[in-house]
């Protein structure tokens, strides 16, 4: 904003011009202010920087004004104003120019460059400027931001709850690193089959642009995301008073951190569906090994298609410990997807040599539901314990081996002892009995030491 002192000095200059200098004094014409319109400016913007003198001046040649833009200095040529008290220097913003508060480089930033600036005497005007950042300087009088660094996409999210949907509306929010503006209607292409091209809906002037996706007939996506990192298109640029700095429209890779797929679990299926989802297999994110009381084991149940889950389904697990009941894994999340996550916290009385589901009917809806978009209720049968696709077949997870009932050896069998083909037991049978007894004795001693 223009300093009030600027107006006072201009008024003083007018009075001197009208009435003349006081007798006995020779007034020296000096610079009273340097100013420019406030604003945020991008590439191509023209900023009119005005240098105001205490009296009208006449200009010959092409004086220059040097502006500071970070480590870059832009030398701006005089444009107009000769015969008045205000000279104009027009600066055009170039790519790479950046300043949080535009100012000139020093008190000597105004140079005559083989020209002249004289008052009506004629006498040379004093072209010394105020200290940058101080009273009457460009930085003091104006708030000018020069920004040519393109805005970038930080993330893509949605406020839609996780789930499996048919015909529905999904607001998708693309968040940028700084406020942006749109001059056309940008689009975002989604990974539905066939691909949906979603139009921009709102948000210009802010750092978050919203695209509204309305699912159409026959569109399907098992996990809604955009098609690629180049799925965003259109004229999007940094918000500015003048000039255009195009934003960088590259998105996080699909399913990578920051992407729509990573930030949400939404499935779309607008087709009629009469096939019930089934369990494909069970696994865990935990590594193979032995787990103790208080440890958490994450169990994954893979379904044949995305499903919606309500309530708190359970998965019963096997147990040969000293407790009275079998342990269960409780449903955590995964609704809207084809992978359901359950969590099992090892109890103090739990024990098993190889963790597995309790039986083919171990998956319980527990008063809730598991169904597809049909809606078709899921077939809850799981692989039999130890069978292909079971937890025991995909992982080797043991629990609280010290809780195994006494008399049950840690080893399930003795390996390397065979029976003669003649069918007699003989030495091999005796040796096997000795080794089995030795295993029991060692196990008992280990338990007593523990």
């Amino acid at each position: 904003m223009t300093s009030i002192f600027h107006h006072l000095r201009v008024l003083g200059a007018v009075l001197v011009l009208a009435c003349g200098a006081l007798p006995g004094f020779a007034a020296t014409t000096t610079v009273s202010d340097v100013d420019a319109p406030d604003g945020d400016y991008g590439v191509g913007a023209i900023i009119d920087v005005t240098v105001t003198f205490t009296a009208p001046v006449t200009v010959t040649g092409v004086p220059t004004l040097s502006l500071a833009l970070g480590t870059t200095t832009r030398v701006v040529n005089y444009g107009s104003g000769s015969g008045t008290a205000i000279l104009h220097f027009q600066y055009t913003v170039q790519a790479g120019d950046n300043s949080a508060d535009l100012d000139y480089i020093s008190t000597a930033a105004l140079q005559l460059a083989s020209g002249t600036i004289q008052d009506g005497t004629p006498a040379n005007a004093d072209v010394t400027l105020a200290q940058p950042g101080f009273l009457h300087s460009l930085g003091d009088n104006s708030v000018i931001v020069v920004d040519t660094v393109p805005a970038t996409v930080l993330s893509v999210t949605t406020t839609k709850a996780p789930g499996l949907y048919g015909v529905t509306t999904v607001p998708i929010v693309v968040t940028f690193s700084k406020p942006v503006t749109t001059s056309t209607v940008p689009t975002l292409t989604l990974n539905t089959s066939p691909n949906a091209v979603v139009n921009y809906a709102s948000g210009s002037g802010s750092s978050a642009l919203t695209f509204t996706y309305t699912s159409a007939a026959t569109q399907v996506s098992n996990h809604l995301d955009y098609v690629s990192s180049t799925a965003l298109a259109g004229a999007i640029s940094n918000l500015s008073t003048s000039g255009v700095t195009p934003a960088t429209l590259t998105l996080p890779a699909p399913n990578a951190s920051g992407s729509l797929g990573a930030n949400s679990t939404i499935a779309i299926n607008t087709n009629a569906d009469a096939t019930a989802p089934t369990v494909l297999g069970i696994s865990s994110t935990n590594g193979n090994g032995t787990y103790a009381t208080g440890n958490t084991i994450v169990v994954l149940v893979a379904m044949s298609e995305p499903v919606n889950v309500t309530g708190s389904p359970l998965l019963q697990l096997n147990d040969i410990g000293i407790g009275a009941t079998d342990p269960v894994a409780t449903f955590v999340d995964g609704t809207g997807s084809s992978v359901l996550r359950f969590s099992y916290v090892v109890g103090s009385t739990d024990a098993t040599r190889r963790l597995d589901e309790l039986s083919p009917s171990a998956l319980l809806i527990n008063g809730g539901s598991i169904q597809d978009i049909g809606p078709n209720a899921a077939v809850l049968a799981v692989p039999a314990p130890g069978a292909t696709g079971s937890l025991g077949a995909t992982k080797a997870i043991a629990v609280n081996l010290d809780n195994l009932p006494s008399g049950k050896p840690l080893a399930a069998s003795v390996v390397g002892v065979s029976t003669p083909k003649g069918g007699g037991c003989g030495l091999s049978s005796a040796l096997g009995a000795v080794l089995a007894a030795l295993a029991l004795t060692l196990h008992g001693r280990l338990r007593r030491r523990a």
Side-chain angles (χ1 to χ4, degrees):
M1 62 188 69
T2 303
S3 170
I4 189 172
F5 294 101
H6 162 67
H7 297 291
L8 293 175
R9 286 183 177 236
V10 170
L11 178 60
V14 172
L15 291 174
V16 169
L17 180 65
C19 303
L22 294 176
F25 289 90
T28 300
T29 300
T30 60
V31 175
S32 61
D33 264 311
V34 182
D35 204 352
D38 295 346
D40 295 331
Y41 296 90
V43 176
I46 298 176
I47 302 176
D48 184 26
V49 182
T50 57
V51 178
T52 302
F53 288 83
T54 55
V57 292
T58 300
V59 179
T60 64
V62 185
T64 61
L65 180 66
S66 295
L67 301 179
L69 292 117
T71 58
T72 301
T73 298
R74 295 295 181 198
V75 179
V76 185
N77 289 338
Y78 158 76
S80 62
S82 183
T84 73
I86 301 175
L87 304 186
H88 295 264
F89 295 76
Q90 292 193 325
Y91 157 55
T92 301
V93 178
Q94 303 177 41
D97 290 357
N98 293 285
S99 175
D101 189 6
L102 185 64
D103 212 335
Y104 41 76
I105 59 171
S106 68
T107 58
L110 178 56
Q111 294 289 309
L112 297 177
S114 301
T116 62
I117 300 177
Q118 296 181 325
D119 60 19
T121 308
N124 291 331
D126 183 353
V127 296
T128 304
L129 305 178
Q131 189 74 23
F134 285 75
L135 191 64
H136 306 307
S137 69
L138 175 61
D140 174 65
N141 288 328
S142 304
V143 180
I144 298 173
V145 176
V146 177
D147 182 10
T148 64
V149 177
T152 58
V153 175
L154 299 180
S155 65
V156 184
T157 59
T158 181
T159 56
K160 189 80 168 181
L164 173 61
Y165 297 92
V167 176
T168 191
T169 298
V170 181
I172 300 172
V173 180
V174 179
T175 301
F176 287 83
S177 57
K178 61 182 70 175
V180 293
T181 186
T182 62
S183 56
T184 60
V185 180
T187 60
L188 181 67
T189 304
L190 302 181
N191 69 345
T192 56
S193 178
N195 293 148
V197 179
V198 185
N199 287 338
Y200 156 81
S202 63
S204 183
S206 74
S207 58
L209 302 185
T210 298
F211 296 74
T212 302
Y213 163 55
T214 300
S215 56
T218 74
Q219 287 183 343
V220 176
S221 175
N222 287 340
H223 190 170
L224 189 64
D225 210 338
Y226 38 80
V227 292
S228 70
S229 58
T230 59
L232 178 61
I236 302 174
S237 58
N238 293 5
L239 179 65
S240 61
T241 304
S242 178
V244 178
T245 302
T248 299
L249 304 186
T250 305
L251 303 171
N255 290 318
S257 177
S259 68
L260 176 62
N263 289 326
S264 66
T265 306
I266 293 176
I268 301 294
N269 190 342
T270 57
N271 294 327
D273 181 9
T275 302
T278 59
V279 176
L280 299 180
I282 302 178
S283 186
S284 174
T285 59
N286 292 66
N288 295 334
T290 301
Y291 292 81
T293 300
N295 290 160
T296 298
I297 298 173
V298 176
V299 181
L300 304 178
V301 177
M303 306 298 294
S304 59
E305 61 177 302
V307 292
N308 278 331
V309 180
T310 64
S312 302
L314 302 174
L315 181 67
Q316 294 175 310
L317 302 174
N318 65 334
D319 178 55
I320 55 172
I322 59 178
T325 59
D326 292 308
V328 295
T330 56
F331 174 72
V332 177
D333 59 37
T335 187
S337 76
S338 57
V339 179
L340 307 183
R341 189 162 67 101
F342 292 74
S343 177
Y344 162 49
V345 179
V346 177
S348 60
T349 61
D350 297 348
T352 183
R353 295 186 185 89
R354 195 172 189 111
L355 188 65
D356 212 337
E357 52 267 32
L358 181 63
S359 70
S361 57
L363 181 58
L364 308 176
I365 58 173
N366 192 32
S369 66
I370 302 176
Q371 58 187 25
D372 64 13
I373 196 64
N376 303 296
V379 176
L380 301 180
V382 299
T388 300
S390 67
L391 177 59
T394 58
K395 287 287 183 175
I397 295 176
V399 171
N400 279 345
L401 292 179
D402 286 344
N403 281 351
L404 292 173
S406 59
K408 294 186 178 181
L410 294 180
S413 63
V414 178
V415 181
V417 179
S418 60
T419 301
K421 290 184 179 179
C425 294
L427 180 60
S428 295
S429 177
L431 180 58
V434 170
L435 289 175
L438 179 59
L440 282 171
T441 301
L442 290 175
H443 175 56
R445 289 179 180 177
L446 288 173
R447 284 179 57 83
R448 286 193 295 271
R449 289 181 181 179

